[in-house]
Amino acid sequence: MTRLLQWLFGRLPIGWLQLTHSRTRFAAALAGVAFANVLVFVQLGIMGSMATATLKPYDFFRADIMISASDANSMTEGGNVARQWLFQALADPDVTGGTGLFIGNVSWARGERTLSLTTYGVDPALPGFLSDTMARKASTLQLQNAGILDMFSRGLPRAEAAAIRPQSPLSLEVSGKTLTLFDTFAGGGGFGGDGYMMVSDQTFLALFPARKSAAPDHILLQVRPGADPDAVAARLRGLISDKSLRIRAYAQAAADDLSYQQTKRPTGIIFGFGVIIGILVGIVIVYQVLSTDVANHLGEYATFKAMGYRQRFFLGIVFEEALVLAVLGFVPGFIVATGLLAAMKAATTLPLAMTPGVAAMVFAGTLAACSLSGAIATRRLASADPADLF
């Protein structure tokens, strides 16, 4: 390592030698940097899983415009929308079709555990509003009290999920009704439930007798190829009589949902603060290590200064120490965080994963935080006189 650093810096790696002079203190410093990295990695991993889980349901459907109630901040929140606005929207020449989307939660009691399933009610006669995978399985939804289940539902054994097929359906009791599951699809547990289930709109209304077919949760619209969904949505806002409705492009609705989850919901704000706290912890730890090192070698630095070495030389030494701490502290932090995220994913089925983008971002942040700590730690040297240092 000494030879490598000597080759990189073109001089004796004084910072490296000072850090490794006390191996115990060096190990403690690396552990501190690694801990800060783990903290940031985990918080970013949870934030990333929140984004993935929030956007996942939007992948189940194919739509260009979504009409929602005024208080619908997310796909699963807000009031109902009168179906009559669907017929008004169809008056626009660029709107080629529309359908109502019903959403509700059902509980599936499985022995000691009860699964909460976010259930979508769709018109199986309009498979064009479903994703390609879902559309291929929509024919089974035409049967009364039939459904297809999220194979990655939290608390559902994988073997049991894999056995659900049209030739070997699974029956269950939800909301006092016997529901038959004929197939599965890939979803994954989110923050609002253990998994997803897709049923026909008629089956949905049987599960939720208080709901009315004339009032779905959202209205999905498709426009002709080449039409701009934002432009059509703007026209629909003037065309539809109820001006309180949220009429947005489908992609914009998904973006608004994600922004709401990350900046308005308590969980998103807490995870964001967790990232900030992790960065501050890393800066404080590295600053303490470097400032202590500067104080312990003040005499040596004074000697160099009296010999005519410039401030740039001392900055080079401290930044060399910061670079060593950043790189060597990042590696164990990355390894531990990858293991923790994998364990958390196995336990919760949340889409937690270490991605190259997050790893690169945290590494760059570690370098920046260590460099900032090093710059702060050299302030005393910059204003000191060699005579005062002795």
Side-chain angles (χ1 to χ4, degrees):
M1 188 69 178
T2 302
R3 290 182 178 178
L4 175 63
L5 292 174
Q6 189 169 0
W7 177 76
L8 285 175
F9 294 112
R11 59 167 172 76
L12 188 67
I14 299 174
W16 164 256
L17 295 175
Q18 286 185 170
L19 282 174
T20 55
H21 179 69
S22 174
R23 295 184 181 277
T24 303
R25 193 170 61 189
F26 182 48
L30 291 181
V33 176
F35 171 75
N37 271 284
V38 170
L39 192 58
V40 173
F41 269 128
V42 171
Q43 297 296 329
L44 287 177
I46 295 174
M47 287 190 69
S49 72
M50 174 187 288
T52 303
T54 298
L55 298 178
K56 186 66 180 179
Y58 289 89
D59 293 337
F60 298 156
F61 309 100
R62 291 286 178 266
D64 299 307
I65 294 173
M66 187 163 79
I67 301 177
S68 310
S70 58
D71 58 347
N73 295 312
S74 70
M75 180 175 271
T76 55
E77 293 183 4
N80 304 327
V81 182
R83 189 181 288 272
Q84 68 186 85
W85 310 129
L86 165 61
F87 301 117
Q88 278 199 355
L90 291 174
D92 188 283
D94 282 339
V95 176
T96 58
T99 187
L101 173 63
F102 296 86
I103 304 175
N105 282 334
V106 298
S107 298
W108 178 14
R110 289 177 49 85
E112 297 180 352
R113 177 164 186 177
T114 299
L115 273 63
S116 175
L117 300 174
T118 302
T119 304
Y120 299 96
V122 298
D123 185 351
L126 298 173
F129 283 91
L130 300 174
S131 67
D132 294 340
T133 303
M134 210 76 76
R136 287 194 294 270
K137 303 176 179 179
S139 58
T140 58
L141 299 182
Q142 296 185 11
L143 300 173
Q144 184 64 26
N145 295 333
I148 52 178
L149 181 68
D150 175 7
M151 68 175 73
F152 299 133
S153 295
R154 192 179 301 129
L156 180 68
R158 294 292 174 269
E160 186 175 351
I164 301 175
R165 290 291 179 267
Q167 59 273 25
S168 57
L170 174 68
S171 296
L172 65 154
E173 293 286 334
V174 292
S175 303
K177 303 284 184 182
T178 300
L179 205 62
T180 304
L181 303 175
F182 286 96
D183 216 329
T184 59
F185 62 95
F191 289 84
D194 296 312
Y196 305 101
M197 184 167 64
M198 197 75 65
V199 299
S200 71
D201 47 2
Q202 297 305 311
T203 298
F204 183 93
L205 294 173
L207 294 174
F208 299 89
R211 297 292 303 273
K212 303 298 181 185
S213 62
D217 292 89
H218 304 280
I219 292 174
L220 304 181
L221 301 176
Q222 290 180 340
V223 301
R224 66 171 178 79
D228 181 5
D230 290 313
V232 177
R235 286 204 305 272
L236 291 179
R237 284 194 286 272
L239 176 65
I240 294 179
S241 305
D242 188 347
K243 304 305 178 186
S244 68
L245 294 174
R246 304 189 71 180
I247 304 175
R248 301 163 289 174
Y250 192 65
Q252 184 60 50
D256 290 346
D257 193 343
L258 179 59
S259 175
Y260 172 72
Q261 299 294 339
Q262 292 182 332
T263 61
K264 303 296 183 184
R265 296 292 297 271
T267 48
I269 296 173
I270 290 171
F271 296 146
F273 271 107
V275 174
I276 296 173
I277 291 172
I279 294 172
L280 292 178
V281 167
I283 291 176
V284 169
I285 290 174
V286 177
Y287 169 73
Q288 286 294 332
V289 171
L290 296 180
S291 63
T292 302
D293 183 80
V294 169
N296 290 341
H297 298 88
L298 213 52
E300 291 86 341
Y301 286 132
T303 302
F304 281 121
K305 207 164 189 178
M307 292 169 65
Y309 283 88
R310 298 182 179 276
Q311 180 67 13
R312 187 173 58 185
F313 173 75
F314 302 111
L315 283 175
I317 295 175
V318 177
F319 281 129
E320 175 191 332
E321 295 183 27
L323 178 64
V324 169
L325 290 174
V327 174
L328 298 186
F330 173 82
V331 174
F334 173 80
I335 295 172
V336 172
T338 301
L340 281 176
L341 290 175
M344 291 168 64
K345 180 180 181 180
T348 65
T349 71
L350 289 172
L352 293 157
M354 179 68 72
T355 64
V358 170
M361 182 171 63
V362 173
F363 181 65
T366 304
L367 288 175
C370 290
S371 299
L372 175 63
S373 303
I376 297 173
T378 57
R379 286 187 307 168
R380 183 178 177 185
L381 276 173
S383 59
D385 183 84
D388 297 335
L389 292 176
F390 283 111

